[in-house]
């Protein structure tokens, strides 16, 4: 480990429902879905299958006409049973009824020693064909990377600091060989592969990985965000191009090259206050969550979230896990409940960054809260309070940036650091915003304006 960096700003949201460190057995889903909406940047999706077709794990089902070499593949073998479309025939899901015994498309298998001889072109071809390339995300813009580009560096965060996030030390135990193979493959695209370690963990399973530059980070959320780690090591300027890969993506790349198969398996955390027994489970990407929640959640009106409470996607009780998610969360719906003088009455059971709204909760900093979806207020104009800057570790003024995006002021957007951000980097700002603005959606609007205008 070369050095340690302390992130001084941020805010930890401590919630009820952390997963116990044990892998529980659940009934297996028999339906899986590939969701094009998971992949930001797809402009012109083109289907490659139709209802009734049979596929294998790793068979192509979709591509973007703008980058036709990058294929989006099935996580399982079976029969395509439904293609779900939304308004204006927007493609939402490709559902596959899985075989009891999975069959895999065959790709080139390498030993650890052989990986050193693989060329960049061979690595690109295999990753694009097998469906693991979408794990590589470009900064700026936060879109699936273009294989023709050459990144200045690649960044990987080896921990997650979001509320109730899975413990990577537990979730990836035994995967060290795959993680190392993933790094060896990524090193073919740049001579700067950065790995961000959790400085609060000693003897991390990630610390032994070679062929990368390691930096430990300590602090409050969003310390685990790869964007924060990039900012601390090498801030993004206009014209810079970086790639990022999650730990899940890193393992998937390694599995592809060491086994010759597209293995979409992962260990996920089942979390949230409404889960009776929060735990870990080994599933495949795109799994239906219904078998995981049946009999395992409390009664009532609940919110099912693929991902975490800050950046995750609302899904149905029989919805599907997102491609990039290794966690799903169940919390109560707020249902618009009103509290008389709720904004001024001191609270001990409400998590809040603002002491005026949750004064008593600050007296017990280790308390875990039961959070619902009630925003306790309506949208209004931005209040310039300086609170955003207290939870934003980057040298960025979020309020001014959001106003520049709304005004479509391109020069100020660039000057205020928009190229360094994606949605997860401003999620805390949205959480603490007393004006109840959709900060993440505003940021995405600004990124799309710059990328496509």
């Amino acid at each position: 480990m070369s050095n340690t960096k302390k992130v001084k700003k941020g805010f930890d949201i401590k919630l009820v429902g952390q997963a116990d460190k044990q892998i529980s057995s659940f009934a297996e889903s028999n339906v899986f879905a590939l969701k094009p909406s998971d992949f930001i940047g797809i402009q012109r999706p083109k289907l490659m299958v139709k209802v009734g077709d049979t596929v294998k794990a790793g068979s192509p089902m979709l591509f973007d006409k703008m980058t036709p070499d990058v294929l989006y593949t099935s996580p399982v073998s079976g029969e395509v049973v439904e293609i779900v479309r939304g308004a204006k025939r927007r493609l939402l899901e490709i559902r596959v009824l899985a075989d009891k015994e999975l069959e895999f498309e065959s790709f080139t298998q390498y030993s650890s020693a052989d990986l050193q001889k693989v060329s960049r072109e061979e690595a690109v071809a295999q990753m694009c064909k097998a469906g693991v390339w979408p794990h590589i995300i470009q900064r700026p813009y936060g879109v699936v990377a273009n294989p023709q580009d050459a990144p200045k560096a690649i960044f990987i965060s080896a921990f997650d600091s979001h509320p109730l996030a899975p413990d990577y030390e537990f979730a990836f135990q035994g995967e060290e060989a795959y993680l190392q193979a993933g790094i060896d493959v990524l090193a073919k695209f740049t001579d700067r592969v950065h790995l961000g370690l959790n400085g609060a963990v000693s003897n991390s399973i990630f610390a032994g990985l070679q062929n990368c530059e390691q930096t430990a980070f300590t602090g409050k959320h969003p310390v685990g965000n790869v964007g924060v780690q990039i900012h601390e090591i090498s801030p993004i300027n206009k014209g810079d191009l970086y790639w990022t890969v999650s730990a899940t993506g890193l393992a998937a790349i390694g599995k592809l090259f060491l086994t010759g198969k597209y293995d979409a398996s992962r260990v996920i955390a089942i979390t949230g206050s409404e889960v009776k027994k929060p735990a870990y489970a080994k599933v495949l990407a795109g799994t239906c969550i219904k078998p995981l929640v049946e009999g395992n959640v409390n009664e009532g009106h609940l919110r099912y979230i693929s991902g975490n409470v800050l950046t995750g996607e609302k899904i149905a009780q029989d919805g599907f896990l997102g491609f990039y998610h290794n966690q799903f969360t169940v919390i109560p719906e707020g249902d618009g409940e009103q509290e008389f003088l709720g904004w001024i009455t001191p609270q001990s059971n409400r998590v809040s960054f603002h002491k005026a709204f949750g004064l008593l909760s600050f007296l017990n900093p280790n308390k875990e809260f039961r959070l619902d979806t009630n925003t306790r207020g309506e949208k209004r104009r931005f209040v310039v309070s300086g609170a955003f800057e207290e939870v934003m570790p980057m040298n960025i003024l979020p309020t001014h940036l959001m106003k520049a995006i709304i005004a479509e002021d391109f020069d100020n957007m660039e000057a205020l650091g928009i190229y360094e951000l994606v949605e997860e980097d401003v999620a805390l700002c949205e959480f603490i915003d007393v004006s109840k603005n959709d900060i993440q959606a505003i940021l995405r609007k600004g990124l799309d304006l710059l990328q496509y205008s």
Side-chain angles (χ1 to χ4, degrees):
M1 186 184 303
S2 57
N3 59 351
T4 299
K5 292 183 179 292
K6 183 175 182 179
V7 176
K8 297 180 180 180
K9 296 182 180 180
F11 181 56
D12 286 332
I13 304 173
K14 297 181 180 180
L15 304 180
V16 174
Q18 187 73 49
D20 293 333
K21 291 182 182 179
Q22 60 180 13
I23 296 180
S24 298
S25 297
F26 295 90
E28 294 184 1
S29 171
N30 58 2
V31 180
F32 295 77
L34 180 71
K35 300 187 289 186
S37 58
D38 288 341
F39 309 104
I40 297 175
I42 289 186
Q43 300 179 54
R44 300 171 63 190
K46 178 68 175 179
L47 271 172
M48 302 178 69
V49 294
K50 61 182 182 298
V51 173
D53 286 354
T54 56
V55 295
K56 296 180 180 180
S59 293
M61 298 203 296
L62 178 75
F63 70 92
D64 183 359
K65 290 183 179 179
M66 304 303 292
T67 52
D69 292 338
V70 179
L71 302 180
Y72 300 82
T73 60
S74 174
V76 295
S77 62
E79 179 184 355
V80 178
V81 292
E82 188 176 4
I83 294 174
V84 182
R85 295 185 180 271
K88 299 182 179 180
R89 293 187 54 76
R90 182 189 180 195
L91 183 59
L92 300 180
E93 296 174 351
I94 307 170
R95 297 183 181 180
V96 179
L97 180 63
D99 296 330
K100 291 184 179 179
E101 295 291 334
L102 295 186
E103 297 182 23
F104 295 85
E105 295 281 2
S106 296
F107 302 98
T108 306
Q109 183 179 359
Y110 299 89
S111 67
S112 297
D114 290 339
L115 274 181
Q116 310 304 320
K117 304 175 185 178
V118 177
S119 67
R120 182 190 193 280
E121 292 72 23
E122 290 171 332
V124 168
Q126 175 134 314
M127 293 168 68
C128 288
K129 186 177 180 181
V132 301
W133 187 269
H135 283 291
I136 301 180
I137 303 299
Q138 171 193 309
R139 296 285 185 107
Y141 307 124
V143 299
V144 176
N146 188 325
Q148 305 303 320
D149 292 335
K152 184 177 178 180
I154 298 176
F155 286 82
I156 306 154
S157 177
F159 67 106
D160 191 344
S161 57
H162 283 93
L164 303 178
D167 182 344
Y168 283 13
E169 300 298 321
F170 177 80
F172 290 95
Q173 58 185 346
E175 303 271 280
E176 292 88 342
Y178 297 133
L179 295 168
Q180 182 62 66
I183 288 179
D184 292 340
V185 172
L186 293 178
K188 301 181 184 302
F189 302 101
T190 178
D191 57 1
R192 295 180 60 199
V193 178
H194 293 275
L195 182 66
L197 302 178
N198 186 350
V201 175
S202 58
N203 300 320
S204 169
I205 62 173
F206 295 90
L209 299 179
Q210 305 295 317
N211 206 15
C212 59
E213 300 176 28
Q214 297 184 1
T215 305
F217 293 87
T218 61
K220 299 178 180 179
H221 180 68
V223 65
N225 285 5
V226 70
V228 172
Q229 297 173 14
I230 293 173
H231 181 82
E232 291 289 329
I233 296 173
S234 180
I236 302 174
N237 296 310
K238 184 177 181 179
D240 288 343
L241 181 68
Y242 293 133
W243 288 353
T244 68
V245 182
S246 67
T248 300
L250 187 66
I253 293 169
K255 290 175 185 177
L256 170 65
F257 283 85
L258 292 185
T259 68
K261 299 176 181 178
Y262 173 47
D263 184 350
S265 63
R266 62 190 61 179
V267 173
I268 67 167
I270 305 168
T271 64
S273 62
E274 303 313 294
V275 178
K276 293 180 179 178
K277 294 182 179 180
Y280 289 81
K282 188 169 185 178
V283 301
L284 294 170
T287 187
C288 179
I289 69 165
K290 187 175 181 179
L292 304 176
V293 299
E294 279 188 326
N296 194 31
V297 294
N298 298 326
E299 296 182 359
H301 189 195
L302 306 179
R303 173 74 62 92
Y304 297 88
I305 303 170
S306 178
N308 61 75
V309 295
L310 291 179
T311 64
E313 174 194 9
K314 177 184 177 181
I315 59 175
Q317 185 177 358
D318 58 352
F320 299 90
L321 186 73
F323 180 84
Y324 297 105
H325 295 151
N326 54 6
Q327 168 189 6
F328 81 84
T329 312
V330 187
I331 60 175
E333 288 281 6
D335 294 324
E337 297 177 0
Q338 301 296 317
E339 299 177 9
F340 180 66
L341 296 181
W343 66 274
I344 200 171
T345 305
Q347 298 283 339
S348 61
N349 59 352
R350 180 183 304 169
V351 57
S352 176
F353 177 76
H354 306 280
K355 292 183 174 64
F357 302 139
L359 177 61
L360 297 181
S361 66
F362 281 83
L363 301 178
N364 187 359
N366 296 319
K367 180 178 179 179
E368 296 178 341
F369 296 87
R370 183 175 182 265
L371 183 73
D372 62 29
T373 63
N374 194 334
T375 60
R376 293 179 171 83
E378 59 186 9
K379 290 184 181 179
R380 58 184 70 90
R381 295 182 179 180
F382 275 106
V383 176
V384 182
S385 63
F388 288 176
E389 287 71 22
E390 294 185 45
V391 298
M392 172 66 75
M394 304 179 189
N395 187 24
I396 288 173
L397 301 174
T399 305
H400 295 82
L401 175 58
M402 295 304 122
K403 290 184 176 182
I405 294 172
I406 293 171
E408 299 187 6
D409 184 342
F410 285 42
D411 289 339
N412 268 331
M413 278 191 264
E414 293 179 344
L416 289 166
I418 191 172
Y419 290 126
E420 292 209 61
L421 302 174
V422 296
E423 287 89 335
E424 69 175 10
D425 298 315
V426 297
L428 267 182
C429 296
E430 183 172 300
F431 178 78
I432 69 169
D433 184 19
V434 296
S435 299
K436 316 301 179 185
N437 289 290
D438 296 327
I439 306 294
Q440 296 180 70
I442 294 172
L443 176 63
R444 177 48 55 186
K445 174 188 174 184
L447 292 171
D448 289 344
L449 282 171
L450 288 172
Q451 184 178 11
Y452 300 120
S453 296

